[in-house]
Amino acid sequence: MPHAYTNRLARERSPYLLQHAHNPVDWWPWCDEAFETARADGKIVFLSVGYSTCHWCHVMERETFEDPDAAAVINTLTVPVKVDREERPDVDQVYMGICHALTGSGGWPLTVLLTPDRLPFFAGTYFPRETRGGRIGFPELLRRAAALWRDDPERLRRSAREIVDRLSALTEPPRGSLSPRLLAEAEAAFGADFDAARGGFGGAPKFPTPHNLVFLLRQHGRTGNPEPRAMAEATLDAMVRGGLWDHVGFGFHRYATDIAWQVPHFEKMLYDQAGLALAYLEAYRATGGPAYGETARRVLEYVLRDLSAPEGAFYSAEDADSEGVEGKFYVWTRGEVLAALGPGEGERWCRVYGLTEEGNYAEEATRERTGANIPRLDRPLATWAGEFGLPPEELAARLEASRERLFARRNERVRPHRDDKVLAAWNGLMASALARGAVVLEEPAYAEAAARALTFLLGPLSPGGRLHRRYRQGEVAVTAFAEDYAAAARGCLDVYEATFDPGWLRRARDLAEELWDRFGGDGALFDTAADAEALVLRPREVADGATPSANSLALEVFARLGLLTGEPPWTDRARGLADALAGRVATHPAAFTQFLEGAALLLEPTAEVVIAGDPTAPDTRALVAAARRAYAPGTALLLAPPGDAELAALAPFTRAMAPAAGKATAYLCRNATCEAPLTDPDALARSLGRHP
């Protein structure tokens, strides 16, 4: 059907911008012409930042941006600019930092008012159409701001410059020196904030933040203290039992809106799946609990099934909403379950997963129970098995058969919108999860999927040899940011350790070199390249948020390259980066857990294992399996087939390592000291598994 309105965003490829292409708002994409127009017309700029699966972005669009009267106010008083934060994390980061500085909080949609010089003088998030609940209506906000601009523009400019100057000072992190006490202080901070009754940290809303859980599991391994492992396990268990986990189709939703992990915000993000797969894989390695391995396997199953692009990479996200209602695709009434499964199995499934006639989920718009239910496990399956008088294995099999039928029935519904753009950084994170899954779960197909994604990043997404940020429908756009390079480099390292193809080690090295050359500064990396578009300040994120920061990923990459190649410059770069940020980390170590994991490779004992032998020979495979079986996160593992010139060029220290007496041989070195060569797999596992 023809649209009543069409604006400039109709020419864009971003799914988020295209969602707004038929608003009556006269949107511009982020471009110089928009700001030149504002300068020529004497208007302020209204910057709106969001992403295509953002629920509150949809709400503000329905209330305000689709309303012709509100749009008339926006068009008359401002030059409106719309930005996809996932395509332009640099723009989002700069102005989100402003929002945090001005209001103490942030989120999306991000709403910022700028001078034509791109200087911000006001920032906030969601605003309603009309003033209510103490929150000013957006048209009224614009009227007041436009009046201030008309009456005293220089005052607003001075205020905006002061804001930028204050934030610019914060991007210069104080230098310091690494200390093992930072690891202990982060652990203590989590202990103080831990919710022992429900798992997780703090109150509602609760976010999974998987790198925090990996840190706690590894901290247990470093210290032997059971408390960090217990906190991680309790959180991992609570998340997968509650509504955060999709019990019918697998995968994790974005976060829980309540304190007990029961009611999720229903969107699914690729980066969450990657991080949580890594966390459950880590828990499986650290504890041996098979449920953790199974959860990781099911996360990867969801990604490969629902987020795979035909080109080999992975799409970005699935929306929370379908048919205009958050969660509609995911919730069930008892009647729907009984109709799909029949009364016997249906009643059982409803009891186990907490479905009631009145519903356990209040629809957000009305806050009334409507008979809708979010499946969740309030008790372990073993408890239910006793109640039903069934062996646990039989109950699990019956519930799985029911789940498959419900999954098929759910696929008849209108699916949420899928954001089908490919982002380099998120694909790098997913490649790491798949590659580590290939090792931990002994599934070579996962490594093949990881390699396909990285091949796409380094091929079609790197026109002219330079990595780019985004691909969609044949179009490559936006030169890559530091996080894109760092995540892709880490993915290449993980694929190397899964396949022992030295080409992936070479690709990781090349990406890391370009990362250092394009983004390096005074030790810490900037998020934008030296030749990127100049913003009001050059962003440099150091804390780890929903995803690890570029600096944290780079620290791990540099440190691991030092271990894998034996080349001191990589370790020197890692130490320089760590010292450049140590002062900032010391202010709140728990906000830098991915960084601390990279730092641990410099602070804690590490090991290099080179297995020399024919990759296809049983004795070589036995040594590789033994090395992988040991839970020793600070270990670099290489496979050196006799005569492998490429590996010898990348890691010269491996040249002298050859099979002893015709047998595959493991050379184990700790902190620049090598032990006697080993040919016995059990001896290798014991040596790696012992506590330093």
Side-chain angles (χ1 to χ4, degrees):
M1 294 179 63
H3 297 281
Y5 306 95
T6 299
N7 57 53
R8 298 169 190 82
L9 301 185
R11 299 191 292 267
E12 299 297 311
R13 289 292 178 87
S14 157
Y16 176 62
L17 300 188
L18 289 171
Q19 286 175 352
H20 294 267
H22 300 291
N23 296 163
V25 177
D26 190 19
W27 292 113
W28 291 77
W30 178 272
C31 60
D32 291 341
E33 188 180 356
F35 291 93
E36 291 165 1
T37 299
R39 186 177 295 107
D41 294 348
K43 292 182 178 181
I44 58 175
V45 173
F46 159 41
L47 173 64
S48 178
V49 183
Y51 56 104
S52 76
T53 58
C54 166
H55 171 67
W56 284 101
C57 300
H58 301 334
V59 173
M60 193 165 177
E61 179 186 19
R62 288 194 297 267
E63 290 181 350
T64 302
F65 303 151
E66 291 180 349
D67 180 77
D69 293 334
V73 175
I74 295 170
N75 296 337
T76 300
L77 300 179
T78 78
V79 172
V81 173
K82 179 64 76 172
V83 167
D84 182 340
R85 77 163 183 105
E86 295 170 353
E87 284 195 354
R88 293 298 304 266
D90 55 333
V91 174
D92 176 62
Q93 186 179 330
V94 167
Y95 293 105
M96 185 62 76
I98 299 292
C99 185
H100 278 282
L102 291 178
T103 70
S105 63
W108 297 275
L110 173 63
T111 300
V112 190
L113 302 182
L114 313 174
T115 71
D117 301 318
R118 311 187 193 205
L119 296 170
F121 61 86
F122 177 88
T125 55
Y126 162 79
F127 289 90
R129 167 74 174 80
E130 305 291 344
T131 299
R132 63 172 184 263
R135 188 185 290 264
I136 189 172
F138 191 62
E140 178 59 25
L141 170 66
L142 292 186
R143 292 187 186 98
R144 295 185 188 182
L148 290 172
W149 176 251
R150 182 187 63 241
D151 296 341
D152 195 351
E154 192 52 41
R155 176 186 171 193
L156 286 185
R157 287 194 181 98
R158 284 196 306 270
S159 175
R161 290 191 191 101
E162 290 172 1
I163 292 168
V164 171
D165 289 344
R166 288 201 304 272
L167 192 63
S168 181
L170 294 177
T171 66
E172 299 297 328
R175 298 187 70 87
S177 58
L178 278 183
S179 167
R181 66 176 175 78
L182 296 176
L183 302 172
E185 289 175 3
E187 177 189 325
F190 285 114
D193 203 30
F194 179 57
D195 182 347
R198 292 165 289 260
F201 303 89
K206 278 187 172 174
F207 291 83
T209 321
H211 40 271
N212 292 348
L213 304 175
V214 172
F215 167 80
L216 290 170
L217 290 164
R218 293 189 176 180
Q219 188 67 357
H220 163 70
R222 286 185 282 263
T223 67
N225 180 4
E227 292 181 5
R229 171 174 156 174
M231 288 189 283
E233 286 196 79
T235 302
L236 291 164
D237 293 345
M239 289 193 302
V240 79
R241 286 198 308 265
L244 192 74
W245 174 250
D246 179 356
H247 290 272
V248 173
F250 307 151
F252 283 95
H253 299 295
R254 176 74 274 270
Y255 62 86
T257 62
D258 66 314
I259 199 170
W261 302 103
Q262 302 291 15
V263 180
H265 179 44
F266 287 92
E267 66 184 320
K268 291 181 178 178
M269 311 299 294
L270 179 65
Y271 61 77
D272 280 326
Q273 314 311 317
L276 286 163
L278 287 171
Y280 281 91
L281 288 167
E282 191 77 24
Y284 182 45
R285 293 287 310 281
T287 71
Y292 296 131
E294 184 61 23
T295 298
R297 192 185 301 275
R298 290 184 165 192
V299 172
L300 299 179
E301 178 182 334
Y302 159 70
V303 171
L304 292 169
R305 184 191 69 221
D306 289 348
L307 294 180
S308 289
E311 297 87 351
F314 298 100
Y315 297 134
S316 295
E318 287 192 297
D319 208 332
D321 299 15
S322 56
E323 300 181 85
V325 179
E326 183 179 6
K328 184 173 182 179
F329 181 74
Y330 297 102
V331 299
W332 297 82
T333 65
R334 274 178 52 84
E336 288 172 328
V337 171
L338 295 174
L341 301 179
E345 292 301 319
E347 286 288 353
R348 189 194 323 275
W349 209 88
C350 287
R351 286 185 63 192
V352 171
Y353 289 97
L355 276 63
T356 65
E357 195 64 42
E358 66 273 16
N360 64 21
Y361 170 59
E363 202 284 315
E364 186 173 17
T366 63
R367 309 312 301 170
E368 295 176 356
R369 292 192 184 276
T370 58
N373 293 272
I374 300 168
R376 56 210 190 198
L377 272 172
D378 293 328
R379 290 187 280 170
L381 283 186
T383 303
W384 283 111
E387 188 165 320
F388 291 125
L390 294 171
E393 298 79 7
E394 182 177 343
L395 175 61
R398 290 189 180 189
L399 291 173
E400 174 60 16
S402 295
R403 183 203 65 79
E404 291 176 353
R405 292 166 65 187
L406 291 173
F407 178 71
R409 181 65 61 89
R410 194 177 77 174
N411 280 343
E412 298 171 3
R413 299 175 178 177
V414 176
R415 291 191 66 90
H417 155 73
R418 182 173 64 190
D419 187 322
D420 62 353
K421 67 178 180 292
V422 170
L423 296 175
W426 298 7
N427 272 261
L429 297 175
M430 196 66 236
S432 283
L434 284 161
R436 295 188 199 180
V439 171
V440 175
L441 303 175
E442 300 181 0
E443 288 284 359
Y446 293 156
E448 294 168 6
R452 286 195 298 272
L454 291 170
T455 298
F456 182 80
L457 298 193
L458 301 177
L461 203 52
S462 297
R466 182 165 183 176
L467 183 63
H468 279 59
R469 171 73 172 180
R470 187 267 287 165
Y471 170 90
R472 184 171 187 262
Q473 296 180 348
E475 182 189 76
V476 174
V478 188
T479 54
F481 301 100
E483 67 169 347
D484 298 304
Y485 281 93
R490 188 180 74 164
C492 289
L493 289 178
D494 287 322
V495 172
Y496 168 73
E497 294 204 23
T499 65
F500 297 119
D501 176 352
W504 290 110
L505 183 56
R506 174 179 49 79
R507 294 179 184 99
R509 182 204 61 189
D510 293 347
L511 285 166
E513 287 282 12
E514 193 167 357
L515 173 65
W516 181 260
D517 292 341
R518 291 189 182 277
F519 301 90
D522 52 350
L525 303 176
F526 289 99
D527 292 320
T528 55
D531 61 350
E533 175 189 355
L535 303 176
V536 293
L537 57 87
R538 191 177 179 190
R540 175 158 52 189
E541 182 58 67
V542 295
D544 299 312
T547 58
S549 75
N551 276 288
S552 295
L553 290 171
L555 177 57
E556 178 188 335
V557 166
F558 295 161
R560 288 175 65 186
L561 279 170
L563 292 172
L564 286 163
T565 68
E567 296 294 323
W570 289 114
T571 304
D572 293 341
R573 287 177 180 178
R575 291 191 183 280
L577 176 55
D579 287 343
L581 296 178
R584 176 66 59 80
V585 176
T587 63
H588 186 28
F592 299 86
T593 52
Q594 181 67 47
F595 179 90
L596 291 175
E597 280 308 313
L601 296 174
L602 305 173
L603 292 169
E604 297 289 321
T606 55
E608 300 88 52
V609 178
V610 179
I611 296 174
D614 177 356
T616 64
D619 57 348
T620 304
R621 291 181 175 179
L623 284 174
V624 169
R628 288 173 167 172
R629 190 166 64 245
Y631 181 60
T635 299
L637 179 62
L638 298 101
L639 177 61
D644 190 327
E646 184 172 12
L647 180 65
L650 290 164
F653 75 98
T654 66
R655 287 176 180 152
M657 297 176 177
K663 291 184 177 181
T665 304
Y667 295 86
L668 170 60
C669 302
R670 299 179 190 274
N671 301 315
T673 302
C674 294
E675 301 179 6
L678 297 168
T679 57
D680 178 26
D682 291 337
L684 176 60
R686 285 195 301 270
S687 184
L688 279 175
R690 71 178 185 234
H691 197 276

